[in-house]
Amino acid sequence: QVQLVESGGGLVQAGGSLRLSCAASGRTFDNYAMAWFRQAPGKEREFVAALSWSGARKDYADSVKGRFTISRDNAKNTVDLQMNSLKPEDTAVYYCARNSNSGLGPRAHLVSEYDYWGQGTQVTVSS
């Protein structure tokens, strides 16, 4: 099975930026769509952003649209999430996940569509 490891989390003030990275090991994730989810204490895991294998299509949650950018480098087996204009409500553990499909369909925002998950990286935004 594929192994996903997130990094780049930390503490940042509101309005600041962070860049998260997800690295795959064991094997590549060629031909798989990828996504970022997040989960705050007492809340369900929620969709943040996803992209197709080619990177041509990207989907974002309304709450992060215009502030976050998802990208991938298939040659390096990495998926990044650039987070700008961070808000306290962005505070959560962020998870990288692999979709079983190469493209993005109407169910790409659902947790159930992802088979492999990283351990998560904590992002804390202070005011």
Side-chain angles (χ1 to χ4, degrees), residues 1-21:
Q1 62 179 286
V2 66
Q3 296 172 313
L4 304 175
V5 180
E6 303 94 337
S7 63
L11 175 64
V12 65
Q13 291 186 332
S17 299
L18 283 174
R19 188 177 184 89
L20 306 183
S21 183

Side-chain angles (χ1 to χ4, degrees), residues 8-9 23 26 32 36 52 55 57 64 69 73-74 80 82 104-107 110 116-117 127:
Y32 295 107
W36 287 93
S52 62
R57 180 176 175 177
V64 306
T69 302
D73 185 337
N74 291 339
D80 288 358
Q82 178 65 45
L104 296 180
R107 299 169 63 186
L110 300 177
Y116 295 96
W117 298 80
S127 59

Side-chain angles (χ1 to χ4, degrees), residues 38 63-64 67-68 85-92 94 123 125:
R38 66 187 182 186
S63 60
V64 306
R67 299 189 298 120
F68 291 9
S85 302
L86 284 163
K87 305 174 181 179
E89 51 263 45
D90 294 319
T91 296
Y94 283 70
V123 171
V125 184

Side-chain angles (χ1 to χ4, degrees), residues 22-83:
C22 172
S25 62
R27 64 178 179 88
T28 68
F29 46 59
D30 289 350
N31 297 309
Y32 295 107
M34 300 292 294
W36 287 93
F37 286 77
R38 66 187 182 186
Q39 187 167 22
K43 297 183 179 179
E44 295 183 354
R45 190 166 299 188
E46 66 174 351
F47 172 78
V48 176
L51 81 172
S52 62
W53 170 78
S54 69
R57 180 176 175 177
K58 300 177 181 179
D59 288 347
Y60 297 95
D62 289 341
S63 60
V64 306
K65 191 171 297 182
R67 299 189 298 120
F68 291 9
T69 302
I70 188 170
S71 62
R72 68 190 300 162
D73 185 337
N74 291 339
K76 296 181 178 179
N77 295 326
T78 57
V79 178
D80 288 358
L81 184 69
Q82 178 65 45
M83 306 184 295

